Amino acid sequence: MPSITTRYFLQTAGTLLASLVLVACGKQEPPAPAATAPAPAASAPAPAARVYVVGTDAAYAPFESQNEKGEIVGFDIDVVKAVAQKAGIEVKFINTPWEGIFNSLNQGDRDLLVSAITITPERKQTMDFSTPYFDAQQLIAVKKDSKIADFSHLKKLKVGVQNGTTGDEVVTKLQGKSSPNIKRFESTPLALKELEAGGVDAVVADNGVVVHYVNNNVGAKFKTLSDASFAAEQYGLAVKKGNTELQEKLNKGLADIKTDGTYDKIYAQYFGAAPAAAAPAPAASK
């Protein structure tokens, strides 16, 4: 039988052991640090609005030219700006020489063209056009003392034209492709300057441009002649072949500015009257 001392020792040891077991069973691991919530992802910037690049030969007043600040201005420019606003698109105008303007469209350097461009069957084979926005016709410019009375009189005379325009085409048909008397220039104003200097006998070009030049260069002493053989022409906004999406936007914009009177206001600003009250051949075409 164990002594009291031994028994007391065993009881005490048992109590201590039980206490240690309870403490071990009740021990808790320190709480894991709370997971940090991921930072909200930065919102992606809104995509920049598409800006359509517009090619225009800015040497064709009053349709397109550059003012003293170098800004491109004119009837065509105001029309496209109004169309773009109605269509909900942004546009940027780039001065583009006429000789390379159609290549710039086909190569994708320009999204559309506005430059007093006549809609012709030949051009429709390589590009698409909006609905017509301007009626036009060719016109002959000669000096006031000239004996030239009609287009047929130019058959064997020196005639200035802008290269690649419909004026170039009608004179080529009259004189023949190999005629040395057809003098081609980069712009109609250059051709008219040559007429003033006596280098050519006449200039055939878009009547809006010719009338504008004659009215603003009284010292040149020109007169103008129309001819029944000149067919009526129409301008259109040109887009790359197959670009129906942009073509439809432009057509909608044109329809809207004609319906709400915007087009008439722009027309009157440059030509003095709304189209309905204008002369039969109100202006011109390239």
Side-chain angles (χ1 to χ4, degrees), residues 178-226:
S178 59
S179 173
N181 287 328
I182 303 175
K183 307 299 180 183
R184 297 179 172 88
F185 297 86
E186 291 182 3
S187 71
T188 296
L190 286 177
L192 291 164
K193 285 287 186 183
E194 187 69 7
L195 175 62
E196 186 176 356
V200 294
D201 300 299
V203 169
V204 177
D206 305 348
N207 58 334
V209 177
V210 171
V211 168
H212 181 269
Y213 188 94
V214 171
N215 290 343
N216 287 277
N217 293 273
V218 179
K221 297 181 179 179
F222 290 160
K223 65 180 179 180
T224 61
L225 305 169
S226 186

Side-chain angles (χ1 to χ4, degrees), residues 146-281:
S146 173
K147 303 300 182 183
I148 296 170
D150 59 48
F151 184 55
S152 65
H153 290 175
L154 305 182
K155 179 73 173 178
K156 297 182 179 180
L157 298 179
K158 291 180 181 179
V159 182
V161 298
Q162 182 173 346
N163 189 34
T165 62
T166 47
D168 186 354
E169 291 176 9
V170 296
V171 175
T172 298
K173 289 179 182 178
L174 177 69
Q175 294 194 1
K177 292 182 179 180
S178 59
S179 173
N181 287 328
I182 303 175
K183 307 299 180 183
R184 297 179 172 88
F185 297 86
E186 291 182 3
S187 71
T188 296
L190 286 177
L192 291 164
K193 285 287 186 183
E194 187 69 7
L195 175 62
E196 186 176 356
V200 294
D201 300 299
V203 169
V204 177
D206 305 348
N207 58 334
V209 177
V210 171
V211 168
H212 181 269
Y213 188 94
V214 171
N215 290 343
N216 287 277
N217 293 273
V218 179
K221 297 181 179 179
F222 290 160
K223 65 180 179 180
T224 61
L225 305 169
S226 186
D227 194 279
S229 66
F230 293 144
E233 302 173 3
Q234 292 179 309
Y235 293 171
L237 308 177
V239 300
K240 192 171 185 179
K241 194 72 176 174
N243 191 351
T244 55
E245 180 182 357
L246 180 54
Q247 183 185 39
E248 289 172 359
K249 289 179 178 179
L250 297 176
N251 284 343
K252 180 182 183 303
L254 281 169
D256 287 346
I257 67 170
K258 288 181 178 180
T259 299
D260 70 7
T262 301
Y263 178 87
D264 286 354
K265 290 178 181 178
I266 297 172
Y267 191 104
Q269 177 184 344
Y270 288 92
F271 303 107

Side-chain angles (χ1 to χ4, degrees), residues 117-163:
I117 302 171
T118 302
I119 302 170
T120 68
E122 293 77 17
R123 288 173 180 166
K124 289 173 74 173
Q125 293 177 10
T126 57
M127 66 195 79
D128 289 331
F129 286 93
S130 68
T131 53
Y133 71 92
F134 198 92
D135 294 327
Q137 196 173 32
Q138 295 297 298
L139 195 66
I140 304 166
V142 296
K143 289 191 173 182
K144 283 187 176 180
D145 58 359
S146 173
K147 303 300 182 183
I148 296 170
D150 59 48
F151 184 55
S152 65
H153 290 175
L154 305 182
K155 179 73 173 178
K156 297 182 179 180
L157 298 179
K158 291 180 181 179
V159 182
V161 298
Q162 182 173 346
N163 189 34

Side-chain angles (χ1 to χ4, degrees), residues 51-58 63-66 70-84 90-96 110 112-115 237:
V51 178
Y52 292 89
V53 180
V54 186
T56 185
D57 177 22
F63 295 96
E64 45 271 321
S65 61
Q66 288 183 293
E71 300 166 329
I72 300 176
V73 296
F75 173 79
D76 280 353
I77 308 307
D78 288 353
V79 166
V80 171
K81 285 180 178 179
V83 167
E90 293 187 32
V91 292
K92 175 183 179 181
F93 297 91
I94 300 293
N95 190 7
T96 308
R110 304 289 183 269
L112 66 140
L113 305 176
V114 61
S115 201
L237 308 177

